[in-house]
Amino acid sequence: MHKWIVAILFFGAAALGLGILLNEVPQPPSEEELAEQANTLEIVASNWDFDQDVYYVQAGSTMTVKLVNKPGQGTHGINISGLGIDLQGAHMSQEVTFGAAGEEYEITCIVLCGAGHAEMKAKIVVQ
């Protein structure tokens, strides 16, 4: 009798653990999420730096430019000259259509973020 109770408890605990484990496995992104990611230019800002020096986009493409402040790495905002993009505060993304191949746009931090603020620059190159 006790063997059955132990066996039931063991298999119940194993099933519960497996259920919790499988529930935590990240699901692959949906087709809509993949399409959104493909149409988003994400710029990640950290202490006096962007995650890339140069961002490449396709000529004529319409994309959402999104600024992400890396947690614990200060508060930043960006201006992209020539595109009319000014992202800061609650306004952290904007849709834009890029022009012809060869165009370049400078990205600058517009929120005073410390000693390296003046050098916090990157660019977008249209291919």
Side-chain angles (χ1 to χ4, degrees), residues 18-112:
L18 186 59
I20 291 171
L21 178 66
L22 292 177
N23 195 25
E24 297 296 319
V25 174
Q27 298 299 316
S30 68
E31 288 183 28
E32 285 180 3
E33 291 171 328
L34 288 173
E36 183 179 324
Q37 288 174 0
N39 292 325
T40 300
L41 173 59
E42 186 174 274
I43 300 170
V44 180
S46 60
N47 285 340
W48 315 297
D49 203 11
F50 294 109
D51 62 327
Q52 296 179 40
D53 292 328
V54 180
Y55 299 88
Y56 295 96
V57 296
Q58 295 300 312
S61 64
T62 299
M63 301 184 80
T64 299
V65 177
K66 179 180 177 182
L67 174 64
V68 176
N69 283 310
K70 194 171 184 179
Q73 299 288 310
T75 300
H76 306 277
I78 59 171
N79 176 273
I80 304 175
S81 60
L83 291 176
I85 294 179
D86 185 15
L87 304 178
Q88 61 181 318
H91 181 71
M92 298 297 275
S93 66
Q94 182 176 333
E95 189 172 272
V96 64
T97 300
F98 292 98
E103 292 180 353
E104 293 187 6
Y105 304 97
E106 185 178 60
I107 304 168
T108 56
C109 181
I110 56 173
V111 174
L112 188 58

Side-chain angles (χ1 to χ4, degrees), residues 1-18:
M1 172 94 170
H2 293 328
K3 290 179 184 178
W4 285 103
I5 293 172
V6 170
I8 290 171
L9 288 174
F10 173 76
F11 287 114
L16 180 63
L18 186 59

